[in-house]
Amino acid sequence: MGRGRRSALTAAVTVVCAVTVLGASGTAFASAQQPTPRPAPTASASASASASSSSSSSSPSSSSDDPASPSDDLDKDLEAVRTKLDTLYHDAAVATEAYNAAEEKSKKQSAEIVDLARKIVDGQKKLDRLKDRAGAAARAQYRTGGLPPQAQLMLSDDPQSFLDGAGRVLEGEHAAKGLIREMTRTQQDLEQYADDANDRWEQLEANRKEKAKAKKRIQQRIKEAEKLQAKLEKRQRERLAQLEKQAAQRAQTAWVGTGILKEVRGKASAAGREAVEFATAQIGKPYEWGAEGPKTFDCSGLTSQAWAAAGRPIPRTSQEQWKQLRHVDIKDMRPGDLIIYFDDATHVAMYVGDGAIIHAPRPGRTVTLAGAGEMPILGVVRPDAD
């Protein structure tokens, strides 16, 4: 490898070390969002380096005096880059799920605030009407002169009319007491609505700050990953892509090698087929964090919209999908089920049969068909559980 190419890769590896130090300061936020530990990359650097070393041992550039050939060194350095890229994009995925969760909470709280505002307006109108009725009752009493019943009886020319009127007075007093009770309840309701609205505003502001923090972290991690890749020359980027593909193939081969697919024979439900059709139609569309279509998607945006299209709304984030949807054994999964990945449930894909998934992988990639075993599987959930 030429001095120029070697120096460029050396600079990229140097960036890996620098980014690792920078990344440590942001760990607290990701941990606060999801306390479970971050999983290791799909395939280890040592395994890939060993495989690369074996395949290049017969290369003309290798020699008996120097067993570590330049191609070995290149693959080792690129494996370090690949591992760091996996870490950066996983960290971005953690922040993306935090952003999506805060966004969902904000939507809910905004709707609650609107509902409370409507209740406050209606309650104030009701209170105004009750006050008008109370005022009318007071004015009617004033017109009678406020005379005690005995005096009204003595002054009345028609005792029967007085007795009838006295009955109405008693009814009026009873109605007045009911009116006062209703006014009191309405006033209390208004005060409670106002307190609730204030609480929602405070929560909304907290979620706004949470979203802003997550957004900043996402952008930072993506920028670091792009900067790291920009340090590589074209030939190095092409080799890095090969190493990524090889790592995915090894993981898928190992998963299939367990014989799991011999047990997976489930057939899609009617809603599952609709969800799969929706996801399939999105293949080729770009990944964008926080996106729910129609032009771009993130991983949980794709799965949630696919099931919404099938008439079965599900939680927005992969972590909530894992928490709220019914868990099924891998051997029982069927097309349309969702496979949740990594120990912190930060990635999700739709199983489409024959050991394959459709998912939105990460920034810079598109919605694609892939092997279900290419990433560490946490478990499977079923949106349309019986």
Side-chain angles (χ1 to χ4, degrees), residues 199-264:
D199 289 343
R200 297 302 185 277
W201 275 115
E202 291 178 355
Q203 293 171 10
L204 191 63
E205 178 63 14
N207 283 328
R208 186 194 65 78
K209 292 179 180 178
E210 200 171 308
K211 281 172 54 182
K213 189 183 295 185
K215 180 178 180 180
K216 182 178 180 180
R217 186 172 184 80
I218 295 165
Q219 293 172 332
Q220 179 187 20
R221 290 296 178 257
I222 293 175
K223 184 177 180 180
E224 289 170 0
E226 291 173 344
K227 183 178 180 181
L228 181 56
Q229 293 175 94
K231 294 287 185 180
L232 303 176
E233 296 180 357
K234 180 180 179 182
R235 186 175 72 88
Q236 295 165 346
R237 290 195 296 271
E238 290 173 349
R239 180 55 183 159
L240 178 61
Q242 290 177 351
L243 292 175
E244 291 175 344
K245 185 176 180 179
Q246 289 170 6
Q249 288 174 340
R250 284 195 300 272
Q252 175 71 0
T253 299
W255 182 70
V256 173
T258 65
I260 186 65
L261 291 183
K262 295 178 182 178
E263 301 182 56
V264 180

Side-chain angles (χ1 to χ4, degrees), residues 251-266 328-333 339 351 354-356 372-373 377 380:
Q252 175 71 0
T253 299
W255 182 70
V256 173
T258 65
I260 186 65
L261 291 183
K262 295 178 182 178
E263 301 182 56
V264 180
R265 297 190 180 91
V328 297
D329 196 285
I330 291 180
K331 65 181 178 61
D332 297 322
M333 70 180 174
I339 302 181
Y351 183 66
D354 297 325
I377 296 175
V380 180

Side-chain angles (χ1 to χ4, degrees), residues 97-118:
E97 289 301 287
Y99 177 92
N100 290 338
E103 174 70 8
E104 286 301 290
K105 289 178 182 176
S106 295
K107 288 179 181 178
K108 180 180 178 182
Q109 288 155 1
S110 295
E112 289 173 347
I113 289 171
V114 170
D115 184 57
L116 286 168
R118 186 179 298 111

